[in-house]
């Protein structure tokens, strides 16, 4: 009888130990599977973020390319309005997925024309509109270099990202002290980008099954697209 009891006890103990080891093995495997899954998710997110970053760069580069072409055009420099209208229209058509409008301002900051002038009502709204007091216009005028503006409200009271290029006329000069001495500031050409439209363009690149938020952050570390609302207004570089 005692032998039977001992055998049963050993059997039960062995079963308990086996169950414990099986459970521990299951927990260990589950944790490893979870760690692998989380790492795969992180890797996938990083790869997708890199893809979206490259897409954003390409889109912005296409806008920059258009601005460079327009601002250096002889028609723009000589203020040939009819030919410049065509240039602005073509630029709008080629980048309309991210650019709201292209604008042409003279050296005093007064609006001359825009690709948004589809009718007289829109044109009338900008009649006499000036950006002379805007900080980015003053910066372009003083430095004769492009400026990439942070998000600000525009005429339609909606936030826009600004990219501004100077229109410069080169004149013959023997001046050597000042590199800009032979360049005359003729105005600026400006592109307004809707951050929400840019964000939607990026979101469209995600699978419908993907549960993710996309945020755009400017070079100062501030969010310009509220993909993650709890971080809006916080300097992420800090």
């Amino acid at each position: 009888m005692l032998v039977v009891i001992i055998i049963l006890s050993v059997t039960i103990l062995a079963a308990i130990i086996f169950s414990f080891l099986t459970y521990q093995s299951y927990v260990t495997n589950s944790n490893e599977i979870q760690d692998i899954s989380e790492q795969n998710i992180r890797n996938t997110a990083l790869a997708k973020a890199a893809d979206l970053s490259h897409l954003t760069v390409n889109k912005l580069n296409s806008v920059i390319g258009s601005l460079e072409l327009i601002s250096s055009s002889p028609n723009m420099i000589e203020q040939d309005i009819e030919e410049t209208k065509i240039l602005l229209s073509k630029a709008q058509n080629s980048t309309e997925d991210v650019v709201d409008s292209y604008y042409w301002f003279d050296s005093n900051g007064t609006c001359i024309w825009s690709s948004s002038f589809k009718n007289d009502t829109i044109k009338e709204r900008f009649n006499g509109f000036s950006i002379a007091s805007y900080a980015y216009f003053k910066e372009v005028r003083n430095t004769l270099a492009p400026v990439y503006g942070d998000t600000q409200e525009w005429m339609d009271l909606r936030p826009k990202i600004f990219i501004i290029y100077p229109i410069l006329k080169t004149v013959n000069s023997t001046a050597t002290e000042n590199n800009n001495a032979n360049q005359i500031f003729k105005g600026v050409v400006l592109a307004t980008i809707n951050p929400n439209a840019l964000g939607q363009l990026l979101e469209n690149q995600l699978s419908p099954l993907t549960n993710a938020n996309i945020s755009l952050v400017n070079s100062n570390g501030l969010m310009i697209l509220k993909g993650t609302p709890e971080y809006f207004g916080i300097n992420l570089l800090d």
Side-chain angles (χ1 to χ4, degrees):
M1 183 69 177
L2 180 59
V3 174
V4 173
I5 293 174
I6 292 174
I7 293 174
L8 287 175
S9 299
V10 171
T11 302
I12 293 171
L13 179 60
I16 292 173
I17 294 173
F18 177 75
S19 297
F20 176 76
L21 293 176
T22 301
Y23 174 74
Q24 286 296 103
S25 176
Y26 170 79
V27 171
T28 301
N29 291 337
S30 296
N31 289 337
E32 290 178 353
I33 292 173
Q34 182 176 349
D35 290 343
I36 293 173
S37 298
E38 291 177 352
Q39 186 61 48
N40 286 338
I41 291 173
R42 284 192 290 270
N43 291 340
T44 301
L46 288 171
K48 178 53 68 174
D51 290 342
L52 295 179
S53 174
H54 293 152
L55 175 62
T56 303
V57 169
N58 290 337
K59 289 296 181 181
L60 294 180
N61 279 341
S62 67
V63 178
I64 292 171
S66 295
L67 289 171
E68 289 179 341
L69 180 64
I70 296 171
S71 63
S72 61
S73 166
N75 295 318
M76 172 68 78
I77 294 172
E78 298 303 326
Q79 297 191 344
D80 185 333
I81 294 181
E82 294 306 317
E83 290 298 325
T84 301
K85 286 181 183 180
I86 297 175
L87 286 176
L88 294 175
S89 179
K90 287 182 177 180
Q92 180 66 54
N93 291 337
S94 64
T95 57
E96 61 182 358
D97 52 347
V98 289
V99 175
D100 282 344
S101 295
Y102 288 88
Y103 295 87
W104 175 21
F105 294 89
D106 65 18
S107 59
N108 295 317
T110 302
C111 184
I112 298 177
W113 192 259
S114 169
S115 62
S116 67
F117 292 172
K118 305 298 182 182
N119 54 58
D120 291 338
T121 301
I122 298 177
K123 184 176 183 299
E124 185 64 27
R125 286 179 55 201
F126 284 87
N127 186 29
F129 175 60
S130 173
I131 58 172
S133 62
Y134 285 39
Y136 56 74
F137 176 77
K138 294 179 181 179
E139 183 176 350
V140 174
R141 184 181 58 194
N142 293 334
T143 64
L144 303 184
V147 169
Y148 307 90
D150 288 334
T151 308
Q152 299 180 31
E153 285 190 350
W154 192 233
M155 281 283 292
D156 56 6
L157 302 181
R158 295 178 180 177
K160 308 289 183 184
I161 301 170
F162 296 93
I163 305 179
I164 310 99
Y165 263 68
I167 304 168
L168 303 174
K169 182 176 182 178
T170 302
V171 295
N172 294 328
S173 173
T174 57
T176 57
E177 295 181 0
N178 187 346
N179 292 332
N180 295 329
N182 64 336
Q183 292 181 315
I184 299 175
F185 179 67
K186 302 284 288 185
V188 299
V189 57
L190 178 153
T192 59
I193 299 172
N194 185 337
N196 294 320
L198 183 56
Q200 187 60 54
L201 177 69
L202 299 179
E203 288 180 2
N204 290 340
Q205 306 303 310
L206 297 177
S207 166
L209 300 179
T210 300
N211 183 18
N213 293 321
I214 294 179
S215 300
L216 293 175
V217 180
N218 65 17
S219 58
N220 294 321
L222 296 178
M223 192 173 294
I224 57 177
L225 182 65
K226 302 179 184 180
T228 313
E230 58 266 32
Y231 292 118
F232 191 76
I234 298 175
N235 191 319
L236 299 183
L237 295 182
D238 293 337

